[in-house]
Amino acid sequence: MTMEAHSTIPVATQPKEQPKEKHHNESYSALVWRRLKRSWTGLLGLILVSLLVLMALFADFLSPVDPKATGVGFVPPQAISFYDKDGNFVFPPRSYPVRETEELDPITFQPVVGPDYDNPQILGFFVKGAPYRLLGLIPAERHLVGAIDGTAVHFLGTDKFGRDVLSRILHGSRISLMIALIVVFIVTVVGTTVGMVSGYFGGRFDAWVQRFVELVLAFPQLPLYLALASLIPVTAPTSVFLAFVIIVMSALGWAQMSREVRGKTLALARIDYVRAAIAIGATDRRIIFQHIFPNVMSHVIVAVTLSIPQVVLLESFLGFLGFAVKPPLISWGLMLQDTANYSAIGSYPWILSPVAFVLVTVFAFNALGDGLRDAIDPY
């Protein structure tokens, strides 16, 4: 009877087999990237940082003029025009070089400068110019943009020695970013290692290490920078001066990173999996670098992106005071020395152009750091 009743059940009323849901295992890096893409400021910071790195790598190719070539001082920026001197539309675009006219300024009695409409410079892409080595290896002479006839075009004007401001800014990004990256790398390695070791062992060792960290943090950094930089003779090689500046910045910057990592390590050292590793006889080195270090990396990555703009600002400030980079090297801070005179800023405002690149760099890394902080630890 039961068999007959069961056989009379319509087929349509039998429960259908539900489709199995597919679960995709998402890696931690993929999860961070998905969260980062939701933050438009973090994504904008990532794009700007990538462009800054490419600008530093291909500065020779992007520079329209040799950054060390001299000419007429304080030439104003040359505009890009699609019109000739009669007002007719022309293509390709052109730029009119600035020349001294026969007219005299009624106040300074200096020759008045103005565009030379009779000798336009036809602009183009991938034009021939000053020879260089691409990435320091490949001989080349092509530049992204410039005059077809090979003459100098100053899109951001020239400084007091007649050197192209735009080309010097592009080449200066190499030194400024290189100093920031090297200093942050040393600070990260030293600060992270000291912080993890101090927080893991604790006790009297941690107390002595933290007293030394507090001693480093107590130093007034700016007077110490100026005092140490003044110890180097003026005739010292540029490489020695640059290395000394990097060492001083690193020696005074690792303590803050160490203090932050120590706080994270103190909490991680009491977690169950760390105690389990200690119970089975794992070495201290293995516990520190294979159990604790991966868990503090998220904080370290964010701290690195936020430390780079601080070093860029510090280098620019010290370079402005003449304590960072010496010629013939080029950096943004060194270029800002020309802005020390208020009359120069009022008469030649284009020499403030490096400030815009410093601001963009600081914004880019700060935006990327904020985006990574929210993506790595959303809670």
Side-chain angles (χ1 to χ4, degrees):
M1 185 69 179
T2 307
M3 296 290 294
E4 293 178 358
H6 179 72
S7 60
T8 58
I9 297 177
V11 178
T13 62
Q14 295 181 359
K16 295 182 180 180
E17 184 178 358
Q18 297 295 330
K20 296 182 179 180
E21 296 182 1
K22 296 182 180 180
H23 298 279
H24 299 280
N25 294 327
E26 191 173 23
S27 64
Y28 179 68
S29 58
L31 180 62
V32 171
W33 170 243
R34 181 163 61 85
R35 290 172 177 168
L36 180 62
K37 290 190 296 183
R38 296 175 181 175
S39 173
W40 68 271
T41 55
L43 201 59
L44 177 61
L46 178 62
I47 295 173
L48 291 177
V49 168
S50 302
L51 293 177
L52 287 171
V53 173
L54 292 176
M55 181 182 71
L57 291 175
F58 299 98
D60 296 299
F61 170 69
L62 298 175
S63 301
V65 184
D66 183 2
K68 298 180 181 179
T70 58
V72 181
F74 291 128
V75 172
Q78 296 181 219
I80 300 175
S81 176
F82 287 89
Y83 298 91
D84 58 11
K85 63 178 182 180
D86 297 327
N88 300 319
F89 180 82
V90 292
F91 189 83
R94 58 194 59 198
S95 180
Y96 298 98
V98 178
R99 296 285 186 267
E100 293 183 354
T101 63
E102 297 180 356
E103 300 180 4
L104 296 178
D105 189 281
I107 299 177
T108 62
F109 296 100
Q110 297 292 327
V112 178
V113 296
D116 186 3
Y117 293 103
D118 295 327
N119 299 293
Q121 295 172 301
I122 309 301
L123 303 179
F125 292 101
F126 306 104
V127 298
K128 288 186 177 182
Y132 61 92
R133 287 187 175 272
L134 186 63
L135 299 176
L137 300 173
I138 306 172
E141 57 180 6
R142 293 286 178 177
H143 297 260
L144 177 62
V145 64
I148 296 177
D149 56 1
T151 56
V153 182
H154 307 294
F155 295 107
L156 290 181
T158 63
D159 60 7
K160 60 182 178 181
F161 296 111
R163 298 170 298 189
D164 185 64
V165 172
L166 176 59
S167 300
R168 290 179 62 79
I169 289 176
L170 296 176
H171 282 77
S173 64
R174 290 179 170 179
I175 300 297
S176 297
L177 293 179
M178 182 196 70
I179 292 176
L181 293 177
I182 293 177
V183 170
V184 171
F185 174 77
I186 298 175
V187 166
T188 302
V189 172
V190 176
T192 303
T193 304
V194 173
M196 288 191 303
V197 172
S198 176
Y200 173 75
F201 287 105
R204 183 174 297 180
F205 175 78
D206 178 48
W208 282 103
V209 171
Q210 293 311 307
R211 300 298 79 74
F212 179 72
V213 170
E214 292 172 358
L215 179 64
V216 176
L217 292 174
F219 275 110
Q221 294 191 5
L222 181 57
L224 189 60
Y225 283 131
L226 303 181
L228 293 177
S230 61
L231 296 177
I232 303 180
V234 181
T235 58
T238 306
S239 57
V240 174
F241 200 96
L242 186 60
F244 184 81
V245 171
I246 292 175
I247 292 173
V248 172
M249 288 184 180
S250 303
L252 297 178
W254 65 270
Q256 184 62 37
M257 176 73 74
S258 173
R259 179 62 64 86
E260 296 174 1
V261 174
R262 172 185 173 270
K264 301 283 291 186
T265 305
L266 287 174
L268 293 172
R270 295 174 175 82
I271 295 182
D272 292 339
Y273 66 82
V274 175
R275 294 182 176 181
I278 297 174
I280 64 176
T283 61
D284 295 331
R285 180 179 179 181
R286 179 181 179 85
I287 295 173
I288 291 174
F289 291 101
Q290 294 194 14
H291 294 282
I292 296 179
F293 178 69
N295 290 278
V296 302
M297 271 301 296
S298 59
H299 178 81
V300 170
I301 292 174
V302 174
V304 165
T305 56
L306 296 178
S307 299
I308 291 177
Q310 296 178 3
V311 180
V312 171
L313 286 174
L314 180 60
E315 185 278 329
S316 301
F317 178 69
L318 294 178
F320 173 76
L321 297 178
F323 292 101
V325 177
K326 299 292 184 182
L329 295 180
I330 308 171
S331 73
W332 293 337
L334 183 64
M335 294 182 63
L336 291 176
Q337 288 185 1
D338 295 337
T339 64
N341 191 344
Y342 287 107
S343 61
I345 297 176
S347 302
Y348 319 110
W350 57 87
I351 60 178
L352 287 172
S353 300
V355 176
F357 285 81
V358 173
L359 294 177
V360 170
T361 303
V362 172
F363 168 78
F365 281 100
N366 281 332
L368 178 60
D370 290 339
L372 285 176
R373 180 181 57 193
D374 297 336
I376 291 174
D377 189 8
Y379 306 106

